Amino acid sequence: MSKETFFYVCNQLRPGLAPHSAHFHPTLPLEKRVAVALWHLATNVEYQTLSPLFGVGPSTVQTCVREVSYAIVLLLKPLYLRLPNEKELENMVRIFCTRWGFPHCIGALDSLHIPIHPPLRLSADYCNGQGWHSILTQATVDGLGQFWDVSTAFPGSMENSAVLESSSLWVLAKEGRLCPNPPKHFMGKAQKYVLLGDATYPLQDWILKPYQEDKNLTQRQLQFNYRLKRAHSVIENAFLRLKARWQILLKCDDCSLELLPTLVLACCILHNICEAHDNPFNEEWLEGTEPTELPKPCQPAPAAMEDGRAEQMRELMCQYFESCGEG
């Protein structure tokens, strides 16, 4: 985060971090409280290790992390992590088509498993399909790799399809709030805007996924899969950059389960701020963001959740890509 962006964040958080007159001890300067919190989110250094760097006690570090994270979500989420309006959705379609060659699309959908040490009584709930403990975050990004919908803190044992049905994104889609009313035309037919997912998500009239790989796929279906996977990589890259900048997400050992949803949202918001403000990104930060000993769960979506009517949209996409060549 650049110096200018840091002070911008401090000024935006000032209304939520004003000193309380009831405190008996002098309150730390706002900039120091924000710096302590961001340092912890960025490095994942333990409270006890971080406290001497700023000349404060471990409990003060913990308080700073909690208060600043809550303030970020309260004050900056409405600015940097919200449902786009109709005009913004149209612009997102243009960007996705220009950058990734995928038309009529407003984003890519995926999940992120964050390693944790759960309470013993909840160990089974948070043990995911690959046998390690995690909380599950579902996120959607635009064509620039910035998050615009995040649902978090689901137990790691849940499948992506179940998380989707439990998320606000599912409700928004079912209410028709992810596309104009009436829908815009694509290939001569009124069609909802789509999100791109992988095999762990159900095929819907607003979620496209690849055809199941087998030897019977036609050339146009293979081309569709290639195009979709290439465009879907925008969220895979966003997750990598998110974890590289905010390494608290590599392993959440030093905070309570109650605080975790706020920490995850705060990191997603800070990611958007850094990206929107063109802050530099060091590729070396990516080292260690994908530990091979923690493979990602990838249970396919149940067939019962599939919407057969959505096959028409995949077919239209196949026609579109066939008409415009390999690309």
Side-chain angles (χ1 to χ4, degrees), residues 101-214:
F102 211 101
H104 215 64
C105 177
I106 55 173
L109 172 69
D110 206 347
S111 66
L112 176 67
H113 281 264
I114 301 169
I116 63 167
H117 278 313
L120 191 58
R121 61 186 173 82
L122 297 174
S123 179
D125 293 337
Y126 286 89
C127 185
N128 60 47
Q130 291 290 348
W132 48 281
H133 295 95
S134 62
I135 64 164
L136 183 56
T137 296
Q138 174 186 282
T140 308
V141 301
D142 61 19
L144 300 176
Q146 295 183 29
F147 299 100
W148 59 264
D149 183 85
V150 176
S151 296
T152 188
F154 295 96
S157 61
M158 289 183 69
E159 303 295 349
N160 282 358
S161 54
V163 170
L164 176 65
E165 277 194 305
S166 302
S167 69
S168 57
L169 185 69
W170 183 266
V171 175
L172 291 171
K174 295 306 178 183
E175 292 177 348
R177 295 170 62 190
L178 297 183
C179 68
N181 187 18
K184 300 284 187 179
H185 276 69
F186 173 70
M187 298 291 285
K189 298 183 179 181
Q191 299 285 348
K192 294 179 181 177
Y193 291 148
V194 297
L195 297 175
L196 307 182
D198 60 19
T200 63
Y201 291 99
L203 182 66
Q204 297 279 313
D205 60 357
W206 57 281
I207 300 178
L208 294 185
K209 60 187 283 188
Y211 291 98
Q212 185 174 350
E213 297 282 357
D214 63 43

Side-chain angles (χ1 to χ4, degrees), residues 20-312:
H20 303 290
S21 58
H23 285 185
F24 293 101
H25 300 289
T27 303
L28 289 176
L30 178 141
E31 289 78 10
K32 188 169 186 176
R33 282 184 282 163
V34 175
V36 168
L38 296 189
W39 192 285
H40 178 66
L41 295 178
T43 64
N44 202 16
V45 170
E46 295 180 347
Y47 297 148
Q48 292 84 351
T49 305
L50 186 57
S51 64
L53 297 179
F54 287 89
V56 297
S59 62
T60 301
V61 174
Q62 185 177 23
T63 299
C64 289
V65 171
R66 184 180 65 251
E67 291 185 351
V68 171
S69 297
Y70 277 118
I72 289 171
V73 174
L74 177 67
L75 298 172
L76 293 174
K77 187 173 182 289
L79 301 176
Y80 289 94
L81 185 57
R82 59 176 178 78
L83 179 67
N85 59 39
E86 186 172 323
K87 187 169 184 179
E88 289 168 334
L89 287 173
E90 289 181 8
N91 190 47
M92 287 160 64
V93 169
R94 284 194 293 272
I95 291 174
F96 225 97
C97 192
T98 302
R99 282 200 164 211
W100 299 101
F102 211 101
H104 215 64
C105 177
I106 55 173
L109 172 69
D110 206 347
S111 66
L112 176 67
H113 281 264
I114 301 169
I116 63 167
H117 278 313
L120 191 58
R121 61 186 173 82
L122 297 174
S123 179
D125 293 337
Y126 286 89
C127 185
N128 60 47
Q130 291 290 348
W132 48 281
H133 295 95
S134 62
I135 64 164
L136 183 56
T137 296
Q138 174 186 282
T140 308
V141 301
D142 61 19
L144 300 176
Q146 295 183 29
F147 299 100
W148 59 264
D149 183 85
V150 176
S151 296
T152 188
F154 295 96
S157 61
M158 289 183 69
E159 303 295 349
N160 282 358
S161 54
V163 170
L164 176 65
E165 277 194 305
S166 302
S167 69
S168 57
L169 185 69
W170 183 266
V171 175
L172 291 171
K174 295 306 178 183
E175 292 177 348
R177 295 170 62 190
L178 297 183
C179 68
N181 187 18
K184 300 284 187 179
H185 276 69
F186 173 70
M187 298 291 285
K189 298 183 179 181
Q191 299 285 348
K192 294 179 181 177
Y193 291 148
V194 297
L195 297 175
L196 307 182
D198 60 19
T200 63
Y201 291 99
L203 182 66
Q204 297 279 313
D205 60 357
W206 57 281
I207 300 178
L208 294 185
K209 60 187 283 188
Y211 291 98
Q212 185 174 350
E213 297 282 357
D214 63 43
K215 61 178 192 242
N216 297 319
L217 288 186
T218 65
Q219 187 58 43
R220 66 208 306 250
Q221 289 171 334
L222 289 169
Q223 172 72 351
F224 171 85
N225 281 5
Y226 165 75
R227 293 279 197 141
L228 187 148
K229 290 175 181 178
R230 183 178 67 178
H232 188 261
S233 69
V234 66
I235 191 166
E236 298 161 13
N237 294 333
F239 278 150
L240 288 174
R241 292 169 74 89
L242 172 73
K243 292 185 292 183
R245 266 203 175 103
W246 309 107
Q247 297 192 10
I248 185 73
L249 301 180
L250 296 180
K251 197 164 190 181
C252 288
D253 287 341
D254 212 10
C255 68
S256 65
L257 280 177
E258 291 75 21
L259 182 59
L260 272 176
T262 302
L263 284 187
V264 173
L265 285 174
C267 290
C268 292
I269 293 163
L270 290 168
H271 164 89
N272 283 356
I273 292 172
C274 289
E275 296 288 310
H277 288 241
D278 292 322
N279 285 185
F281 183 86
N282 188 338
E283 297 293 329
E284 293 179 0
W285 297 341
L286 292 170
E287 295 178 10
T289 57
E290 287 291 336
T292 54
E293 68 272 16
L294 297 178
K296 181 181 175 182
C298 53
Q299 182 68 25
M305 284 186 68
E306 302 274 310
D307 183 352
R309 296 170 298 177
E311 194 58 61
Q312 180 190 37

